[in-house]
Amino acid sequence: EPEVTQTPSHQVTQMGQEVILRCVPISNHLYFYWYRQILGQKVEFLVSFYNNEISEKSEIFDDQFSVERPDGSNFTLKIRSTKLEDSAMYFCASIPTDRRGEKLFFGSGTQLSVL
Amino acid sequence: KQEVTQIPAALSVPEGENLVLNCSFTDSAIYNLQWFRQDPGKGLTSLLLIQSSQREQTSGRLNASLDKSSGRSTLYIAASQPGDSATYLCAVRPQGGSEKLVFGKGTKLTVNP
């Protein structure tokens, strides 16, 4: 079965550093998402992306966050200046063309630790 | 603001038992509801998706029901197996064109051999 692939699986960084989390969505999917899960808490929506632009973002997704699809296959989440509270598991997800009727496919996540 | 609650937070059962996981949501204006499985350190796997117009969906030993008016869904697992041990998450997509899923905190299920 096709998979959403995320790299790296673990990322450790110092507070204030920039990080880029990478995702390769399933090839025929057109809608892309980032979610995060702080340890012991609920999975939270960050942003959705379609047709090379953000279609929706949460209040968590402030100016420190950005997303892009640089080459038609990768989908990245950048955090410009990481804070301790950014430590979480970050999940990429995608769905096919008919976004409303379809299940969401998640990657296995990137565990980000900010020291 | 939509809130999703899952009860119980944890459940331990002997192998072979039938069980029910519960999910409730505060705003009945939903587009669909999904049940996911999460294994430790892994991503989420979608198990069942119920559209707002549907009452239930079935896949193998899993059956999910939806009562939108009362803001409730249940996930029924028949003849549980140790391999079913995982955290089960419920998530709703609001009506009105929002992209996001709103998740519950999950129920951690342990099936003992």
Side-chain angles (χ1 to χ4, degrees), chain A residues 35-50:
Chain A
Y35 284 79
R36 78 174 185 187
Q37 186 177 31
I38 296 171
L39 186 64
Q41 299 190 23
K42 296 180 179 182
V43 176
E44 302 174 289
F45 170 79
L46 293 178
V47 66
S48 59
F49 189 86
Y50 170 69

Side-chain angles (χ1 to χ4, degrees), chain B residues 47-67:
Chain B
L47 298 172
L48 290 165
L49 181 148
I50 311 177
Q51 303 293 350
S52 62
S53 58
Q54 297 174 325
R55 299 285 287 183
E56 65 178 342
Q57 283 287 327
T58 297
S59 176
R61 294 182 293 108
L62 305 180
N63 176 276
S65 68
L66 174 64
D67 184 344

Side-chain angles (χ1 to χ4, degrees), chain B residues 17-28:
Chain B
E17 193 161 297
N18 302 324
L19 58 101
V20 174
L21 307 181
N22 296 292
C23 171
S24 62
F25 46 95
T26 55
D27 187 345
S28 62

